[in-house]
């Protein structure tokens, strides 16, 4: 697992990038990682999200983002890597091994590199440190003062390493290397005098005195114009050294030409566009180009190309590996694959003296190009007269292989639909490189030709806005920054959509950006607006339609149904419910859609789609029963999860009467598996509740909310009230008193834990009577206990004592042992608070003797642990110290096994009060998780 702050903030497990979601969630992760393994108060997280006054619900927003981060980590198996996001009082702690955090690795490598005595070792280690950077630090986060300050601190550390690397190159005698490292950084930081000073000296020592003097005068003028100051002592000293010293002697390097001489092997090509570490040598052993033409077939690149630093660097690494490398750029329609390929190829074609070949194979529009015809075009470009072209395709392919065996070629194959289109076009020489673009995964090319994939996703908010500015003018975007950001979001970061939007604005110079944003906000019109009147086939909808063509029928049907999905993602059981098919069939259809980049498998078995793709799918027409099948699948799975999470508890509801008994539903091996499912599916279940209400399926809506109660108990402060308020409205519309009682009891308990006692009592005072009206004794008992807990917040009263006494009787009559344990747990605490020690001891003795049918996990185990702790208090008060210690140690073992931190703390305090040693038992494998309170 890997967490990144040096560039766009991100996290990945293996090759799979975690989809962090909106800017504020990414900012929460960044703020936590900046203080990894330390407590970060909620107030600091709020300050990181809002640069001005935060909204009144800021704490709830932060809690929601923390909850979603936990779900993402759980879905990625973060615990296996020692990663966890814990609550510590009013703070959060992101636990992560330092080896998984790029800032820690960077610091360690920087220290090691500076300590290296051998210059070559220092260059290697410091270069490795800088290679961890993939753009500006903390990119993609909120522009708040704390995050800006942290990013600046990280940037200063990077520049210090750049300067150290330049010194190491100097010690090594590689003056050209020092110049290359410093030039790009001086261009990016023209006012940093230490960088300019180092560059001036490096240029002079490389035999480039005139360049060094020119650089000094440019910096001097810039300092005067921008800051109104003159050069500092170090900069003046560097200038005087270059001006007055003699020419660099034989021991120094002469002028360096970084472009290859005609007919010579390729040399490094510096390009500030690619950053300081992009000075890459061509692979060793590349054969020189034989005599003959050196074709340059690349079409003109896309104007206004922005961003994509990570992908450009990946192409550099793949091509630099040599041995006939094949890079495969894949991504959805309109994401900019061709633009990326042309941008890289134009900047790197000088590395391939044998020439550059290009072909659009038209795999996703028009008549696909025939490989044999493309081979003939390549042969003509390589100097074969048309009259000498072989007659057969096989002979032409053989001649192509012969001609390319000793050339260093760059071959760009655009819009490839299948591996068969590519095979005969691959050059045979190991000094060549091939760049393929496709909307399809092309697994065959990866397996057969060892192609290295470079996946391309939509642009982030910053580069998307920059692309708009480049197309319509920076002044126009700067005048309406919020509208520009909104346009970027409505275009889903898709370059094709952004360019069409820019064309719409260019054609309407009187329109404000906000005007077009208001038009695009209408989901019914958005796709229509994102097409060009004179070339509708180049619009977003047309690009998606062409991608869908040719997919298997089951995949096409599932794609059309994906518009029904209310949540952000889905897995095979949800897809199976939509299709009304077996999960295995659904998994195959999802894989086909992922292969065509219509959905993204962002975590193993979990798929999401971009908003524009969802809108297109929604417009294809749907099966009327698809949403109801999906809701029933979620309900059946949530019921199974509640039974696995809390074995022994009576189900809080059953499936709706008309729901099919065989709805696709997951099964759960144990309690941790069920809790993980709740965490991962939380947003989907919340969206399903909203969709169920909107469609009039209130009988599903309240169930989907209340069936999450085991996870609510374990994450009570994570903002559950809005969901439960929807469930309450659904239950009231159904006129179902038992449903309404259960929702009010759970909502009231959540509000109590949040400290909103008056709001909690407004719910809880109605719940018992509703359950009694429904003749549901277990529901009434739970409602009475929750009401008593809220009342007891201001002190134990006779009323709350009566509520708990009645709850004990109701649960006993219903033979609901675990609910009876809950009531007795609170009854004991009340008796201890009132000073009735003997009654408390009798109550715990009775409770612990109840037969709970062997329930050893979940809330049943927690209730027993709490009862043992209360019994220990009573025994200690009665003077029975040995019995109190024995009882406390049993409670400690049970609480630790379930991750019941409050119980562990109470047990340790009681043992310390007894003067006994505290040995915390280890939690068994597959045990509970910490209670976040």
């Amino acid at each position: 697992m890997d967490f990144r702050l040096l560039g766009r903030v991100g996290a990945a497990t293996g090759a799979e990038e975690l989809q962090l979601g909106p800017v504020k969630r990414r900012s929460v992760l960044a703020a936590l990682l900046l203080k990894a393994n330390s407590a970060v108060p909620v107030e600091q997280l709020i300050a990181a999200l809002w640069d001005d006054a935060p909204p009144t619900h800021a704490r709830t927003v932060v809690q929601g983002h923390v909850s979603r981060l936990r779900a993402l980590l759980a879905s990625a198996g973060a615990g296996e890597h020692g990663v966890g996001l814990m609550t510590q009082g009013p703070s959060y702690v992101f636990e992560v091994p330092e080896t998984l955090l790029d800032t820690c690795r960077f610091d360690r490598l920087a220290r090691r590199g500076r300590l290296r005595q051998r210059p070559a070792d220092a260059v290697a280690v410091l270069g490795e440190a800088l290679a961890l950077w993939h753009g500006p630090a903390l990119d993609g986060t909120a522009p708040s003062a704390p995050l800006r300050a942290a990013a600046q601190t990280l940037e200063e550390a990077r520049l210090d390493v750049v300067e150290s690397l330049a010194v190491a190159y100097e010690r090594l005698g590689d003056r050209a290397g020092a110049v290359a490292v410093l030039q790009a950084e001086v261009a990016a930081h023209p006012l940093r005098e230490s960088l300019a000073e180092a560059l001036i000296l490096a240029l002079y020592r490389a035999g480039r005195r005139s360049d060094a003097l020119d650089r000094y005068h440019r910096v001097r003028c810039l300092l005067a114009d921008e800051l109104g100051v003159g050069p500092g002592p170090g900069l003046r000293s560097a200038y005087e050294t270059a001006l007055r010293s003699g020419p660099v002697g034989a021991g120094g390097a002469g002028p360096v030409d970084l472009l290859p001489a005609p007919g010579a092997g390729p040399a490094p090509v510096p390009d500030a566009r690619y950053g300081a570490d992009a000075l890459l040598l061509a692979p060793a052993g590349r054969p020189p180009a034989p005599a003959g033409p050196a074709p340059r077939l690349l079409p003109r690149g896309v104007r206004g190309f922005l961003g994509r630093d990570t992908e450009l660097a990946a192409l550099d690494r793949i091509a630099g590996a040599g041995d006939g490398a094949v890079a495969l750029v894949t991504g959805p329609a309109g994401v900019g694959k061709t633009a990326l390929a042309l941008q890289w190829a134009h900047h790197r074609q000088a590395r391939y003296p044998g020439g550059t070949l290009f072909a659009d194979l038209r795999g996703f529009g028009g008549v696909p190009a025939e490989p044999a015809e493309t081979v003939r075009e390549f042969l003509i470009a390589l100097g074969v007269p048309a009259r000498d072209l072989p007659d057969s395709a096989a002979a032409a392919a053989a001649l192509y292989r012969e001609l390319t065996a000793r050339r260093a070629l760059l071959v760009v194959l655009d819009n490839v639909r299948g591996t068969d289109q590519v095979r005969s076009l691959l050059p045979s020489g190991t000094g060549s490189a091939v760049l393929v673009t496709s909307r399809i995964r092309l697994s065959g090319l990866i397996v057969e030709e060892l192609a290295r994939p470079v996946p391309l996703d939509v642009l982030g908010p910053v580069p998307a806005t920059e692309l708009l500015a480049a197309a319509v003018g920076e002044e126009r975007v700067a005048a309406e920054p919020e509208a520009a950001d909104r346009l970027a979001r409505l275009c889903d970061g898709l370059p094709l959509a952004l360019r069409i939007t820019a064309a719409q604005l260019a054609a309407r110079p009187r329109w404000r950006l906000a005007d077009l944003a208001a038009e695009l906000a209408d989901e019914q019109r958005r796709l229509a607006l994102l097409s060009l009147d004179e070339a509708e086939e180049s619009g977003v909808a047309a690009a998606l339609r062409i991608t869908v063509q040719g997919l298997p029928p089951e995949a096409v049907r599932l794609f059309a149904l994906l518009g029904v999905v209310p949540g952000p993602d889905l897995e095979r059981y949800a897809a199976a419910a939509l299709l009304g098919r077996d999960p295995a069939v659904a998994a195959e259809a999802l894989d086909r859609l992922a292969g065509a980049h219509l959905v993204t498998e962002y975590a193993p078995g979990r798929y999401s789609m971009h908003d524009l793709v969802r809108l297109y799918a929604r417009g294809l027409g749907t099966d009327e029963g698809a949403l109801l099948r999906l809701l029933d699948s979620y309900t059946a799975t949530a019921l199974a999860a509640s039974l696995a999470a809390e074995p022994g508890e009576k189900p809080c509801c059953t499936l709706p009467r008309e729901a099919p008994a065989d709805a696709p539903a997951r099964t759960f091996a144990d309690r941790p598996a069920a809790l993980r499912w709740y965490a991962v599916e939380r947003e989907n279940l919340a969206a399903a509740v909203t969709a169920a209400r909107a469609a009039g399926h209130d009988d599903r809506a309240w169930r989907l909310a209340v069936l999450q109660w085991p996870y609510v108990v374990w994450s009570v402060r994570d903002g559950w009230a809005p969901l439960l308020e929807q469930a309450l409205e659904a239950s009231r519309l159904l006129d179902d008193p038992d449903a309404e009682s259960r929702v009010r009891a759970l909502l009231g308990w959540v509000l109590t834990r949040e400290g909103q006692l008056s709001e909690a009592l407004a719910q809880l005072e109605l719940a018992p009577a509703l359950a009694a009206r429904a003749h549901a004794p277990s529901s009434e008992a739970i409602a009475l206990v929750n009401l008593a807990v809220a009342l007891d917040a201001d002190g134990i009263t006779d009323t709350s004592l009566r509520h708990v006494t009645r709850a004990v009787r109701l649960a006993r009559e219903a033979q609901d042992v675990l609910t009876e344990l809950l009531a007795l747990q609170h009854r004991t605490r009340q008796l201890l608070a009132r000073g009735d020690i003997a009654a408390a001891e009798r109550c715990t003795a009775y409770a612990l003797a109840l037969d709970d049918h062997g329930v050893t996990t979940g809330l049943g185990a927690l209730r027993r642990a709490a009862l043992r702790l209360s019994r220990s208090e009573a025994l200690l008060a009665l003077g029975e110290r040995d019995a109190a210690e024995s009882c406390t140690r049993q409670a400690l073992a049970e609480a630790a096994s379930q991750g019941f931190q409050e119980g562990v703390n109470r047990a340790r305090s009681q043992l310390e009060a007894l003067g006994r040693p505290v040995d915390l038992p280890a939690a068994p494998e597959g045990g509970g998780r910490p209670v976040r309170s």
Side-chain angles (χ1 to χ4, degrees), residues 816-832:
D816 186 348
V817 175
L818 292 182
T819 298
E820 187 177 356
L821 282 175
L822 172 67
L824 290 169
Q825 173 190 344
H826 289 283
R827 174 70 171 163
T828 303
R829 296 298 298 273
Q830 289 175 326
L831 292 171
L832 287 172

Side-chain angles (χ1 to χ4, degrees), residues 196-210:
E197 174 189 342
L199 178 58
I200 289 168
L201 291 173
L203 286 167
Y204 162 70
R205 290 166 184 154
R208 299 167 61 180
R209 183 202 297 265
S210 61

Side-chain angles (χ1 to χ4, degrees), residues 177-260:
V179 169
V181 166
L182 292 166
Q183 272 184 324
E185 296 302 336
V186 169
H189 303 275
L191 296 176
R192 187 180 174 97
E193 292 191 44
S194 59
L195 280 174
E197 174 189 342
L199 178 58
I200 289 168
L201 291 173
L203 286 167
Y204 162 70
R205 290 166 184 154
R208 299 167 61 180
R209 183 202 297 265
S210 61
D211 289 341
L213 298 178
D214 177 69
R215 172 59 60 182
Y216 170 81
H217 290 299
R218 288 164 62 186
V219 175
R220 177 179 58 80
C221 293
L222 193 62
L223 289 170
D225 293 341
E226 296 289 332
L227 303 179
V229 299
L235 201 56
R236 289 198 302 270
S237 175
Y239 169 67
E240 291 169 3
T241 298
L243 181 66
R244 297 176 182 173
S245 300
V248 177
V256 177
D257 184 2
L258 293 177
L259 292 177

Side-chain angles (χ1 to χ4, degrees), residues 31-253:
L32 291 169
L33 289 175
L34 285 167
K35 295 188 176 180
N37 303 308
S38 301
V40 182
V42 173
E43 288 72 22
Q44 289 188 17
L45 295 177
I46 291 173
L49 297 193
W50 288 277
D51 212 13
D52 46 10
T56 56
H57 62 287
R59 185 176 294 268
T60 301
V61 172
V62 169
Q63 290 170 344
H65 287 306
V66 168
S67 176
R68 183 55 183 157
L69 285 174
R70 283 184 176 132
L72 282 171
L73 292 171
S75 69
E80 300 173 6
H81 301 275
V83 176
L85 178 48
M86 304 301 178
T87 299
Q88 192 176 94
S91 304
Y92 293 104
V93 179
F94 199 104
E95 296 178 351
V96 56
E98 290 188 352
T99 55
L100 304 185
L101 187 54
D102 63 353
T103 51
C104 295
R105 297 200 302 275
F106 174 78
D107 289 340
R108 186 171 62 253
L109 288 168
R111 289 194 299 270
R112 284 172 49 198
R114 292 188 179 104
L115 293 173
R116 286 291 187 267
Q117 296 299 316
R118 295 180 63 246
D121 292 343
V123 166
V125 176
L126 292 172
E128 186 180 352
L130 290 173
L132 294 172
W133 286 74
H134 301 287
L138 307 185
D139 187 25
T141 60
S144 63
L147 292 180
R148 288 198 303 270
Q152 182 59 37
T153 300
L154 290 170
E155 177 64 5
E156 289 293 330
R158 187 185 73 84
L159 292 175
D160 287 341
V161 172
V162 169
E163 293 175 0
S164 298
L165 178 59
V167 170
Y169 272 120
E170 288 278 1
R171 289 170 52 210
L172 188 62
D174 185 357
R175 277 68 183 268
V179 169
V181 166
L182 292 166
Q183 272 184 324
E185 296 302 336
V186 169
H189 303 275
L191 296 176
R192 187 180 174 97
E193 292 191 44
S194 59
L195 280 174
E197 174 189 342
L199 178 58
I200 289 168
L201 291 173
L203 286 167
Y204 162 70
R205 290 166 184 154
R208 299 167 61 180
R209 183 202 297 265
S210 61
D211 289 341
L213 298 178
D214 177 69
R215 172 59 60 182
Y216 170 81
H217 290 299
R218 288 164 62 186
V219 175
R220 177 179 58 80
C221 293
L222 193 62
L223 289 170
D225 293 341
E226 296 289 332
L227 303 179
V229 299
L235 201 56
R236 289 198 302 270
S237 175
Y239 169 67
E240 291 169 3
T241 298
L243 181 66
R244 297 176 182 173
S245 300
V248 177

Side-chain angles (χ1 to χ4, degrees), residues 384-400:
V384 178
R387 62 180 181 276
D388 294 336
L389 290 174
D391 293 331
S392 71
L399 179 57
Y400 177 69

Side-chain angles (χ1 to χ4, degrees), residues 298-355:
L298 287 179
R300 182 174 66 85
V302 177
R303 295 182 61 188
F305 184 89
L306 293 167
R308 305 303 195 191
D309 295 338
T310 300
E311 292 81 3
L312 290 167
L315 292 175
D316 273 330
R317 288 194 297 274
I318 295 169
D323 198 25
V326 179
L328 172 60
V329 178
T330 61
V335 80
K337 299 179 293 296
T338 301
L340 174 73
L342 292 177
Q343 177 75 3
W344 184 86
H346 274 291
H347 282 83
R348 289 295 180 255
Q349 62 180 334
R351 294 171 56 189
Y352 301 93

Side-chain angles (χ1 to χ4, degrees), residues 254 421 483 568 639 698 843:
Q421 283 186 297
L639 181 57
D698 291 311
C843 185

Side-chain angles (χ1 to χ4, degrees), residues 25 31 40 168 195 200 223 264 284 300 304 415 434 464 469 472 554 571 588 592 600 615 699 772 829 860 885 903 933:
R25 188 173 305 147
V40 182
L195 280 174
I200 289 168
L223 289 170
R300 182 174 66 85
N415 285 316
V434 181
V472 304
E554 207 69 72
E571 40 73 71
E588 173 63 23
R592 290 301 190 104
T600 301
L615 283 178
D699 52 346
R829 296 298 298 273
E885 179 185 354
S933 58

